[in-house]
């Protein structure tokens, strides 16, 4: 069984900047010495820490993250905060679209126990993972809105939509952890990064309740074009920024 300092040294030698913190998390998570040693080697080989651990902290919740599934980013907690702040009614109907692990939906549900949370994703690996973080019967597999129960149409109060938004030509510039260990469909937003956002925007008004809100994560550079894409479909829109998390969120609303 490698000792803590040996683990730290091994991780540091492999290029892990936060070797001590990572070693601590691995030691806490592993159920025995064999698993601990295997986890250290997987991390040293370049797997994202969250895939090695099998979980990520997001919005105060420990979310299960399976291999190949998008690792929820701390930056996306800003989207969650914005959504929680704007949700004032009781028992809100919430959809986590392009849910990945279901991190947004699970954290929203943890903060608002009265919420009726559904989630959907195209990638069966993502929805299999999301079914471990959310009630399984609330997680649907398919393209954007297509797999959602028809009864939700026109009744969604909160549409959480962290879609892929990296322009195709920028994928090569992403860290290897993302490029090599997250599904391409989770990252690639098409030529300008807004292809999926535009498709969501085109259908959103039909699914939102009157005065319902839609939340996208975007980049500062894409924000103006993203707002135009959303307002073209009859929604009002504004952006909010968080410098600490380097996050930009587009908040769109269906007029009453
Ligand atoms: C950037 S990841 C975000 C995952 C999750 N919302 C989060 O914040 O951790 C984007 C997700 O969108 C999903 N996706 C991409 N295209 C999709 C589509 N056409 N329909 C449904 N899901 C899609 C991917 O499988 C991936 O899980």
């Amino acid at each position: 069984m490698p000792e803590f300092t040996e683990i730290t040294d091994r991780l540091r030698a492999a290029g892990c900047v936060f070797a001590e913190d990572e070693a601590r998390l691995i030691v806490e998570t592993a159920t025995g010495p064999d698993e601990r040693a295997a986890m250290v080697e997987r991390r040293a080989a370049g797997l994202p820490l969250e895939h090695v651990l099998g979980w990520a902290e997001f919005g105060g919740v420990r979310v299960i993250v399976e291999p190949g599934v998008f690792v929820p980013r701390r930056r996306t907690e800003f989207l969650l905060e914005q959504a929680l702040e704007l949700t004032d009614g009781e028992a809100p109907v919430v959809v986590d679209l392009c849910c990945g692990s279901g991190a947004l939906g699970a954290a929203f549900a943890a903060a608002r126990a009265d919420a009726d949370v559904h989630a959907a994703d195209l990638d069966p690996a993502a929805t299999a993972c999301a079914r471990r973080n959310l009630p399984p019967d609330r997680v649907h597999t398919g393209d954007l809105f297509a797999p959602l129960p028809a009864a939700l149409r026109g009744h969604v109060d909160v549409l959480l939509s962290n879609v892929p938004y990296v322009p195709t030509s920028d994928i090569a510039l992403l860290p290897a952890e993302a490029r090599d260990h997250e599904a391409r469909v989770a990252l690639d937003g098409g030529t300008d990064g807004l292809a999926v956002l535009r498709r969501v925007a085109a259908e959103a008004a039909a699914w939102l309740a009157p005065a319902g809100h839609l939340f996208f994560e975007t980049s500062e550079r894409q924000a103006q074009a993203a707002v135009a894409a959303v307002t073209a479909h009859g929604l009002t829109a504004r952006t909010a920024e968080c410098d600490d998390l380097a996050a930009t969120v587009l908040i769109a609303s269906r007029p009453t």
Side-chain angles (χ1 to χ4, degrees):
M1 176 180 80
E3 295 301 324
F4 185 78
T5 46
E6 286 177 63
I7 297 175
T8 307
D9 290 348
R10 176 82 181 100
L11 295 178
R12 193 169 288 120
C16 300
V17 178
F18 302 107
E20 270 196 24
D21 294 341
E22 296 197 2
R24 195 168 303 112
L25 290 169
I26 287 174
V27 168
E28 280 168 19
T29 303
T31 52
D34 290 348
E35 190 184 19
R36 180 185 310 183
M39 287 169 89
V40 172
E41 287 317 307
R42 290 170 71 216
R43 179 62 183 139
L47 247 80
L49 177 67
E50 295 81 358
H51 286 157
V52 171
L53 299 173
W55 56 266
E57 289 288 342
F58 182 81
V61 173
R62 186 169 282 202
V63 177
I64 294 168
V65 184
E66 293 182 347
V69 175
F70 186 85
V71 175
R73 309 295 203 257
R74 297 313 288 249
R75 153 186 323 126
T76 307
E77 290 178 348
F78 183 58
L79 188 160
L80 174 71
E81 270 172 44
Q82 296 293 306
L84 286 168
E85 259 177 39
L86 273 182
T87 306
D88 44 16
E90 278 173 28
V93 174
V94 179
V95 170
D96 180 358
L97 201 68
C98 296
C99 66
S101 64
L104 274 167
F108 197 101
R112 286 289 304 254
D114 61 332
D116 179 15
V117 179
H118 288 256
D121 199 287
L122 184 64
D123 181 357
T127 48
C129 179
R131 286 192 183 104
R132 299 179 64 197
N133 291 311
L134 288 163
D137 64 332
R138 290 289 204 266
V139 180
H140 317 279
T141 306
D143 184 42
L144 298 186
F145 297 91
L148 293 174
L152 295 183
R153 224 180 148 82
H155 296 284
V156 178
D157 299 301
V158 180
L159 185 51
L160 308 166
S161 188
N162 186 22
V163 303
Y165 62 90
V166 180
T168 305
S169 58
D170 288 357
I171 299 274
L173 308 176
L174 291 176
E177 285 186 12
R179 264 188 289 117
D180 298 343
H181 300 288
E182 292 177 325
R184 174 94 182 198
V185 70
L187 305 170
D188 193 341
T191 308
D192 66 353
L194 298 176
V196 185
L197 180 148
R198 283 196 189 90
R199 291 186 56 219
V200 173
E203 285 192 71
W207 288 86
L208 286 172
H213 301 296
L214 161 62
F215 300 84
F216 286 118
E217 187 172 287
T218 183
S219 69
E220 220 178 319
R221 147 171 91 114
Q222 292 166 321
Q224 205 181 340
V227 165
V230 165
T231 52
H233 293 286
L235 302 171
T236 60
R238 66 181 171 87
T239 57
E241 285 86 30
C242 172
D243 292 339
D244 289 349
L245 293 172
T248 301
V249 168
L250 190 164
I251 303 161
S253 308
R254 183 181 149 186
T256 42

